[in-house]
Amino acid sequence: MTDETIVGLKELRRFATVSNQVATAKMKNHEILELHPRALLGPEKKALIDGQNYVVRRKHDLQKGLCDIQSIRAGDLLLAERVNGQLIMSDQKFANRSLTLSEEIFQSLKKYADAHGVTLDQALAQAVTSYTQEQLHE
């Protein structure tokens, strides 16, 4: 038996937060959408709404979009692809439930946790949440 990991919502959310590049999903209709922890975002388009020009993006529900994803990439790295109807993780380092932190990042998190009176887990959760919100607003 192979070490195949089927991609679910948890893995999709992890792909969106662990890469230093924006993760993208190629859909059945060949559209490329950005992968974010809570949604798939379409490309920016200009729209005229009530006489005002806006830049808009279509938002797709992550859970509903899961069955339409054909592949997921972060830059040139293929993270997952659909094989025999199932979305399979291509890079097993993302299958790990825990990620290795560099000593520098660990020390930064520890310093933040000590300064704010929170646990390391809480500091990490706050850092991920903050990073994710920044990515959604870019």
Side-chain angles (χ1 to χ4, degrees), residues 106-120 123:
F106 175 77
Q107 291 302 327
S108 295
L109 281 172
K110 188 174 183 328
K111 185 177 178 181
Y112 178 90
D114 292 343
H116 291 85
V118 297
T119 66
L120 279 172

Side-chain angles (χ1 to χ4, degrees), residues 66-112:
L66 179 60
C67 63
D68 292 331
I69 294 174
Q70 294 302 301
S71 62
I72 300 172
R73 291 186 172 275
D76 291 335
L77 180 64
L78 179 65
L79 301 177
E81 64 184 331
R82 193 160 298 277
V83 178
N84 297 326
Q86 293 187 319
L87 194 57
I88 304 294
M89 200 172 299
S90 299
D91 194 333
Q92 289 301 311
K93 73 179 179 183
F94 290 105
N96 235 341
R97 293 288 182 230
S98 59
L99 297 173
T100 306
L101 295 178
S102 70
E103 183 63 27
E104 180 182 356
I105 292 173
F106 175 77
Q107 291 302 327
S108 295
L109 281 172
K110 188 174 183 328
K111 185 177 178 181
Y112 178 90

Side-chain angles (χ1 to χ4, degrees), residues 17 105 109 112 120-134:
T17 58
I105 292 173
L109 281 172
Y112 178 90
L120 279 172
D121 284 344
Q122 291 168 327
L124 180 59
Q126 290 171 7
V128 169
T129 300
S130 175
Y131 175 79
T132 300
Q133 289 172 347
E134 287 175 15

